[in-house]
Amino acid sequence: MKKKIGIVLGICLFIVGMLGIGYATLNPYRGTLKQSVQTKPLDEILTAEQVKEDIEFAMDTMRQRHPAWLEENNENVSKVEKQYETELENIGESITVLEEWKALGRIMHVLEDGHTQSYVNNPEPKYINDFAQFKEDRELLAINGEPIEDVFQRFLTVFQYEREEYARAVFDNNVICNQDNLNWCGVDTSDGVTLTFKTEDGEQDYHYNFVSLEEVKGRTQGSDNEKWVDYTIDEDAGVGIFTLTSCNYNKEYKEVVKAFFEEVSEKNIQNIIVDLRWNGGGSSLVGDEFLKYVNVDGYYTWASEIRLRNHLIKNKRSYKKNAKRNPMFDGNLYVLTNLKSYSAAMDFAMMVKDNQIGTLVGEASGNMPDSYGDCLKFAVPNSQLNFQVSYKRWHRIDESKEGKPLEPDYPCKSAEAMDKVYELIGVK
């Protein structure tokens, strides 16, 4: 009897061991960073051997993790491999961390995946010391005397994006004020930077030094304390406005969603606006949670491919029954998007539009509905440049619109989107 128990126990332990090995082998998060690591200073010198090791590490990671390398006849993979060889050939005896960052950017750029990218983790980023000219919304003409379009075109060669319109929005809002990013674009910031603006009095030069964000003049005070999820009720207009600037699926989000719909029901609100402008993404589950309170029986979700080791697991588009919750909303739903609505924010908007649950207003989202995503994070061994690699590929819910951006039903400038909805409702 003891012998039989021992055999059964041995078999169970063997099965558990094999399952553990299988999980460790197929787990997509194996070897990923639990938290970002600090990148070495951009002007630090690396040897050719160190740079080669870093670039090879990034390339091997993409080959082992990214779905594109398992897809048939993916021309972008060939372009990446070719660019990789070019960068290796161009390595000199020594190279700065900055130049390595540019090299990685050029390699990843040709993959045409806005989620697979390299970046600097600098705990003390520096910015131009005054934002006043940008608050005046003046046209920027040149940086250090170089036409702005030339700098932008150079930025495009190292940046990872799917839509050039999104790249332009990132350049205008995030690049030209940040010292590391300007360096990445080939701008010399060793003696500050001179920006040329078009003004009522003609072209004007403004010279800036670089300081911490807290020291910047003209910065909107209190912006760091704004809630990432919040809502207001315009009872006079019969409108509820739900604002989400980051797609965090957690207890706080679920509580705010519930409270929002309870107040919408209590005050008999018939029009809801979900503001996803400036939302860079996160978890796509935020959309599912929100729709639980909307009176729809179900909706279609996107098809996908997931890479696990050397296997590409394919999932077809499917219909998901809505797990309805009370209070149930049965009015009009509008969603606001702009070029900085990205990733999971775009997914949220796509679920609403492609399932004909509501109306989109504003600008087309920053990335394509047909795109790679769900990122695994790493750092190269020597420069400690951080990078992330997609391990999934998503497809648009409305398959008849494959390859097209998520265009709003009512296109308009981002700043005009809210007023446009009020106009559609007929209260302004």
Side-chain angles (χ1 to χ4, degrees):
M1 183 68 178
K2 289 182 179 180
K3 185 176 180 181
K4 289 183 178 179
I5 293 174
I7 292 172
V8 171
L9 193 60
I11 293 172
C12 290
L13 290 173
F14 175 77
I15 292 172
V16 170
M18 293 302 294
L19 289 173
I21 292 172
Y23 175 77
T25 300
L26 296 177
N27 176 20
Y29 291 94
R30 65 191 186 280
T32 59
L33 291 180
K34 290 183 172 56
Q35 60 184 22
S36 297
V37 298
Q38 184 175 336
T39 305
K40 290 185 176 180
L42 293 184
D43 59 358
E44 184 164 325
I45 302 293
L46 304 172
T47 66
E49 290 73 21
Q50 288 177 311
V51 174
K52 183 177 180 181
E53 182 182 8
D54 284 352
I55 293 176
E56 287 179 342
F57 179 86
M59 272 302 303
D60 286 343
T61 303
M62 286 192 287
R63 290 169 181 148
Q64 295 166 12
R65 307 297 183 103
H66 201 286
W69 270 261
L70 295 184
E71 296 171 353
E72 294 183 7
N73 303 316
N74 190 316
E75 295 181 358
N76 288 340
V77 169
S78 299
K79 292 177 182 178
V80 172
E81 295 287 353
K82 184 178 179 181
Q83 187 65 39
Y84 161 67
E85 295 294 339
T86 298
E87 298 299 337
L88 289 185
E89 291 172 2
N90 292 335
I91 295 175
E93 293 183 5
S94 61
I95 187 172
T96 62
V97 173
L98 173 61
E99 292 304 318
E100 181 184 296
W101 184 22
K102 292 178 184 178
L104 287 173
R106 288 189 292 267
I107 291 170
M108 295 178 176
H109 166 78
V110 293
L111 186 56
E112 297 181 12
D113 171 10
H115 284 84
T116 296
Q117 55 186 245
S118 59
Y119 53 96
V120 168
N121 179 27
N122 181 355
E124 299 178 352
K126 301 293 185 182
Y127 302 85
I128 62 172
N129 61 333
D130 194 341
F131 287 174
Q133 298 306 317
F134 292 99
K135 291 182 71 175
E136 294 290 334
D137 199 26
R138 290 176 171 172
E139 181 183 356
L140 179 61
L141 302 176
I143 300 179
N144 284 352
E146 183 178 14
I148 191 66
E149 288 305 316
D150 292 353
V151 181
F152 175 63
Q153 290 302 317
R154 197 158 56 239
F155 167 69
L156 290 181
T157 66
V158 295
F159 186 57
Q160 294 74 49
Y161 61 94
E162 292 151 30
R163 300 186 62 228
E164 189 171 317
E165 295 89 342
Y166 170 73
R168 186 75 206 209
V170 171
F171 181 77
D172 291 343
N173 291 283
N174 305 101
V175 172
I176 55 183
C177 296
N178 178 282
Q179 186 175 22
D180 287 341
N181 289 334
L182 284 170
N183 289 332
W184 196 34
C185 297
V187 175
D188 181 3
T189 64
S190 58
D191 188 31
V193 67
T194 299
L195 304 183
T196 304
F197 290 92
K198 183 179 180 181
T199 72
E200 294 178 355
D201 299 321
E203 296 182 8
Q204 295 284 337
D205 289 341
Y206 295 84
H207 186 78
Y208 301 94
N209 297 316
F210 291 97
V211 298
S212 66
L213 186 60
E214 293 72 23
E215 298 174 280
V216 173
K217 297 177 183 178
R219 186 172 74 96
T220 303
Q221 298 301 314
S223 59
D224 294 340
N225 298 320
E226 290 180 358
K227 294 181 179 180
W228 59 272
V229 57
D230 202 5
Y231 71 86
T232 58
I233 302 295
D234 184 349
E235 197 167 358
D236 291 339
V239 176
I241 302 171
F242 186 87
T243 303
L244 186 66
T245 60
S246 182
C247 293
N248 301 318
Y249 182 67
N250 55 23
K251 181 181 179 181
E252 181 182 359
Y253 174 75
K254 289 186 278 188
E255 289 176 348
V256 174
V257 171
K258 185 175 186 294
F260 172 65
F261 279 102
E262 285 176 344
E263 192 164 347
V264 163
S265 176
E266 178 187 334
K267 295 180 177 177
N268 195 30
I269 301 299
Q270 294 302 307
N271 297 286
I272 283 179
I273 300 172
V274 179
D275 190 352
L276 298 177
R277 293 173 297 178
W278 311 104
N279 186 321
S283 171
S284 59
L285 292 176
V286 296
D288 297 272
E289 182 69 20
F290 192 89
L291 291 180
K292 288 176 182 178
Y293 295 90
V294 178
N295 191 18
V296 291
D297 293 332
Y299 47 88
Y300 286 97
T301 62
W302 40 82
S304 67
E305 289 95 45
I306 303 172
R307 178 166 181 174
L308 300 177
R309 279 286 185 180
N310 291 323
H311 304 282
L312 206 56
I313 311 300
K314 298 185 178 182
N315 302 297
K316 294 182 178 180
R317 186 182 86 147
S318 61
Y319 184 80
K320 182 174 183 177
K321 186 177 180 180
N322 193 17
K324 294 181 179 181
R325 290 181 180 171
N326 290 319
M328 187 64 54
F329 176 73
D330 199 21
N332 302 311
L333 175 61
Y334 301 88
V335 177
L336 311 185
T337 58
N338 67 1
L339 283 167
K340 297 301 287 291
S341 304
Y342 201 81
S343 195
M346 184 275 298
D347 292 340
F348 191 159
M350 174 172 55
M351 280 203 300
V352 171
K353 179 177 174 62
D354 284 5
N355 284 287
Q356 300 179 356
I357 296 171
T359 303
L360 260 61
V361 179
E363 300 170 344
S365 302
N367 66 313
M368 298 290 285
D370 301 282
S371 62
Y372 299 105
D374 273 29
C375 302
L376 307 172
K377 296 186 177 182
F378 306 88
V380 295
N382 297 305
S383 69
Q384 297 293 284
L385 283 163
N386 291 213
F387 71 100
Q388 59 187 37
V389 176
S390 302
Y391 78 98
K392 295 180 182 179
R393 183 168 189 171
W394 306 105
H395 298 274
R396 182 156 185 173
I397 294 173
D398 184 347
E399 296 172 343
S400 69
K401 294 183 173 66
E402 182 180 359
K404 296 179 180 179
L406 187 66
E407 297 285 359
D409 299 291
Y410 293 91
C412 64
K413 293 181 179 179
S414 174
E416 301 170 357
M418 188 69 72
D419 287 341
K420 183 63 179 179
V421 174
Y422 270 80
E423 178 188 320
L424 292 171
I425 294 171
V427 292
K428 277 191 179 180

